[in-house]
Amino acid sequence: MPLHRRLGGGPLLLAVCALAVACTSTASDQGTPLVVDDFGDTVRLAAPATRIVSLNPVTTEVLIAIGARERLVGRTHWDLGAAEVPDVGDGMQPNVEAILAQRPDLVVLYESPANRGAVERLRAAGITTIAFRTDRVADLARVAPVLGAAVGDRPAGITVAAAVRATIDSVAALPRRERPVRAFWHIWDAPLLTIGRGSYLTELLEAAGGRSLFDDLAAPSPQVTLEEIVRRDPDVILAGPAGAEAIRRHPGWAAVRAVREGRVLVVDTALVGRPGVRMGEAAAHLRRLLDDVRVP
Amino acid sequence: MIRAESLGLRYPGAARPALEGVSFSAEAGRLTAIVGPNGSGKSTFVRALLGRLAPEHGALWLAGLPLAARSRRDVARLLAVVPQREAPAFPTTVRDFIALGRYPHGGAFAGTTAEDRAAVATAAARADVEALLGRATDELSGGEWQRVRVARALAQGGRALVLDEPTAFLDVAHEMACFELLDALAREGMCVLLVSHQLNLVARFADHIVLLHEGRVAASGAPDEVMRGDVLERVYQWPLVVTRDPAVGAPVLVPLRGRGAR
Amino acid sequence: MRRPVWILLVAVALAAMTLALAAGAVPLPVGEVWRALFGGGDVTTGAIVRGLRLPRVLLGFVVGTGLAASGAALQSTLRNALAEPYLLGVSGGAAVGAVLSVVLGLTAPALLPLSAFVGAAGAVVLVLGVARAAGGRADPRMLLMAGVVVGAFCTAAIMVALATAPEGTVRGALWWMMGSLGDARWSVVLWVSAYVLVGGALLLWWGRDLDVLALGEEAAASLGLDVERTTRRVFLAASLLAAATVAGAGLIGFVGLVVPAIARALGARGARATIGAAAWLGGTLVVLADLVARTALRPAELPLGAVTALVGVPFFLWRLRAAAAR
């Protein structure tokens, strides 16, 4: 005999309510699985996040792009794109207390061994924490939908990522030269750092019709010597304003043909600074820079 | 030549003064010895002569002028001090080592003058180290090293020579040789002042002995006056007897078995 | 030291510099190097030799000279073969001075060595003060221990500065602290050379005083030397040398430790000969170490301080054993 006939009306109603409550509490204890983050942990979110601390400028950009700006309650000290959002300190080995003071329900970090401790402490405090590695172009397509889902609007995240991808693809589809422009990208002066295969900048450069002088190295930002650059003889040098200044001052750079022949291009560091939502514009910017160069 | 007048001296932060009311003089042509137990202030006196410690009371005089009135260089031209122990970190030749004794006489770039060379040669001859001039200082035996240091002091060309425990690490032969050298120097007119433990040798060679006890002069005078059993026993706090050695005709100190004796 | 040895030292130094100018990621024949030095040769070779390698080699030589002379002088003063600016906290103080200077924006090549010198002199004052407080006025062992303590303090101060520095600059600061000739602009080469020349000239001027000081406190006082004043002066001159090298090339250790020992092993006696020989040897050592640093792990560059340590530590252990065996 069905349960409800046996129990009668009142007890039945009570039982249904109790069951409903039980189901709800189960849902809020566990939530639906959101993602397996880059630390390998399965992260669950019960309800859309309303107070988000973003410790990675890329994720901050994405959250703003999907319209979640008001939900941001914390950013890193170096993330000046959302100046009105409270500054909670460093993004690497973050100050957990400063983060907790913002009473977030979601914290997003950069995936790195240095942040493992912070992740564990935040989770122990009951806060949903996700760690993403954002190094390459494809990472945006991975991260944006998750962030979208976290605020209850997954399609927005997908749209943002797709738009960036489309822009990059359109830049890549433009007519190309016979051979890619060999570019040395000056990232940092002391130590002398450039981009290797592991960096999104190398990918953007390739989309723009160039290639990194050191794309034989796997690391994202390998250290190299000036002599090696001289030996490899790049067609062009790309640098930020500070880097271009350092190149101008240092007599050793004159040994590089591209410097002697005036082919040092200044890139807009605001555009290319991170693998975020402006990557499409960055690729277009690079393409324009390279187009203007007459390669011997 | 060297005169202490009611000299009082205290190490910084010390409760007791290291020297108090010390008065004596060391004259040219004489060998004067300062003796006394450990901690009686013997080495402190040498440090005062070196200008390392300033007197609290009294004064030190050198050749008629207060020590403080002379520049260190001036003092070094008149008075040479051979410290108790010396171990240069880096070896050099004996000749160069002795030549450093001419430092008070030259300027920063003063080359070696004929006078310098003569002084070095004379000093080396006097101290009997001519055969060692080409050797390295880290290759010398204890006795040779001692004589080389005395040679350097002699090269300074002064009229007074002060030695702090010159025979502390020497064997009998070298000890005697050292005392004989000092004695000869005194005979030649040098004012020789020596700090020593070796009461018996001091008694044989010194013209004047100053016995220090807890920073004060306990006795001062010719060896026969100072080397007395009662005085020495009180100062050294050990049973002893002073006899006369028939072989050398000088007072000899003989310590007796002490309190722990059977 | 005999004349043939001096000639050998100079010859080896020139050979090392020529090698450093010729070798690298772009190997150049020696003949081309000589031509390029005097303005000839093709554009690229000229640019590599004159613009890229020459300032670096010259800076390296001057840095080596300064460090070696500083070490030789400190060893005479402290009567200890373990003394050298890095281990005595002098270089550490210079680094603190330089870091503060960068923070305040005073990075001009003329000013940075001075700021470093202020830091180094500060470290010296601390060392002398700690030694005096511990009871030994100019006792070498006290000075050495005080030097180690002050050096540790300076390292801590730099760590604090790094902890509060912007994220991106930490790597640059650490790189600088490990020593590199990468910043070899001509203005840097000129100013570091000027300070090293001044410091070196002062030490050579005081050579005789150093010899007397090396005899020991009491012996030196007996010879009429003002021990306190001479010790202070030598420390300051040695600090100026160390500070100039730190400002130009970061922290490089062991050159001041190892090179004077080699100079003495070659027969240098007396402060002037030791400092002079150490100068040539030190320059040679750093030039060669830099050659290794920029070619050993191509395309990356090793920190210069790491190379000198890799050479310096085994050498020192070997000398330590030889001394113990004697």
Side-chain angles (χ1 to χ4, degrees), chain B residues 118 160 217 232:
Chain B
V217 175
L232 291 175

Side-chain angles (χ1 to χ4, degrees), chain C residues 4 16 45-46 66 98 104 118 131 133-134 151 161 190 219 222 235-237 265 271 275 296 310-311:
Chain C
T45 309
L104 293 173
V118 169
L190 242 75
S222 154
F235 254 92
L236 285 175
I275 291 174
L310 285 171
V311 167

Side-chain angles (χ1 to χ4, degrees), chain C residues 110-298:
Chain C
L111 286 181
L112 199 58
L114 281 181
S115 313
F117 173 59
V118 169
V124 168
V125 167
L126 263 177
V127 168
L128 292 174
V130 169
R132 189 172 307 132
R137 260 161 32 156
D139 182 354
R141 288 162 303 173
M142 281 296 142
L143 285 168
L144 269 176
M145 285 207 290
V148 170
V149 166
V150 170
F153 176 74
C154 291
T155 305
I158 296 173
M159 291 298 157
V160 167
L162 284 183
T164 55
E167 237 174 82
T169 64
V170 171
R171 186 162 180 179
L174 278 175
W175 179 252
W176 177 80
M177 276 180 62
M178 295 193 287
S180 160
L181 291 174
D183 189 27
R185 290 169 286 147
W186 284 113
S187 52
V188 172
V189 175
L190 242 75
W191 280 104
V192 173
S193 305
Y195 287 114
V196 167
L197 261 160
V198 167
L202 282 174
L203 286 178
L204 287 174
W205 181 271
W206 294 324
R208 252 185 130 220
D209 295 354
L210 271 171
D211 286 329
V212 172
L213 193 59
L215 293 173
E217 234 183 86
E218 293 197 323
S222 154
L223 286 169
L225 184 76
D226 187 336
V227 173
E228 303 286 286
R229 195 172 65 147
T230 307
T231 305
R232 256 199 319 268
R233 278 176 170 180
V234 171
F235 254 92
L236 285 175
S239 303
L240 180 62
L241 287 171
T245 67
V246 168
L251 285 171
I252 299 170
F254 298 99
V255 175
L257 187 65
V258 161
V259 170
I262 302 179
R264 277 189 290 272
L266 288 175
R269 299 270 176 267
R272 283 187 181 137
T274 309
I275 291 174
W280 286 101
L281 278 169
T284 307
L285 178 64
V286 172
V287 164
L288 291 175
D290 182 55
L291 182 59
V292 168
R294 59 186 162 90
T295 53
L297 237 60
R298 280 174 47 201

